Amino acid sequence: ISIFMSLFNVHINRIPYDGEIKKITYRKGRFNPANSPLSFENEQNIIDIETPEGWIYRIVQVAGVLARRIVCRIKEGEKVRKGEKFGLIMFGSRIELYFPGNFLIEVEKGDRVKGGEKIIGRIR
């Protein structure tokens, strides 16, 4: 699931599901528009989280053309809770969510989501 945030959106990032931070990997990169095909080259922060049920999901903070700073306020080994604020990307950026196959996605392409309010999906 890829969520693009324009200059007019709130850029605060929240934890989608309870778990423990297993690994955080920062990757230097370019600053292409976050909604372009070239954004895979952009600066990224990759966060792997293990749920209490034992499955792993991933959050990727992707910088954009104007977003020159990724802020991540969590650390490896830390326990996190659904809805908790963990960071932000400064302006014109994207969040990617990678879930295992037992996840039922409840959003569709083009849906507008609001952090802490819109349900992205559920565990089957």
Side-chain angles (χ1 to χ4, degrees):
I1 298 169
S2 183
I3 302 169
F4 173 72
M5 296 170 282
S6 78
L7 288 172
F8 305 106
N9 297 124
V10 175
H11 292 253
I12 294 170
N13 308 145
R14 294 178 183 266
I15 297 293
Y17 196 83
D18 296 350
E20 180 180 335
I21 307 301
K22 288 307 204 182
K23 186 173 183 182
I24 299 175
T25 307
Y26 171 76
R27 193 177 88 197
K28 288 185 178 185
R30 298 181 176 270
F31 297 100
N32 297 308
N35 60 348
S36 84
L38 296 176
S39 63
F40 72 91
E41 302 173 338
N42 287 13
E43 176 178 305
Q44 299 181 11
N45 202 39
I46 302 159
I47 305 161
D48 291 329
I49 302 172
E50 184 175 5
T51 70
E53 296 82 14
W55 51 271
I56 303 273
Y57 71 92
R58 175 174 283 177
I59 301 170
V60 182
Q61 296 172 293
V62 182
V65 68
L66 296 175
R68 300 292 178 146
R69 185 164 173 234
I70 293 174
V71 176
C72 182
R73 295 190 174 113
I74 51 178
K75 306 279 186 249
E76 290 181 9
E78 187 176 337
K79 302 260 191 226
V80 292
R81 304 215 16 108
K82 177 177 69 175
E84 180 180 306
K85 296 176 187 176
F86 75 89
L88 62 109
I89 311 166
M90 299 206 178
F91 317 120
S93 51
R94 189 177 75 232
I95 282 286
E96 296 177 350
L97 303 171
Y98 297 87
F99 294 103
N102 63 339
F103 191 79
L104 179 63
I105 298 171
E106 294 193 4
V107 292
E108 295 181 19
K109 184 176 180 176
D111 283 358
R112 294 184 67 89
V113 298
K114 189 169 185 179
E117 292 183 18
K118 178 70 175 179
I119 295 174
I120 302 292
R122 301 178 191 279
I123 296 174
R124 290 185 195 182

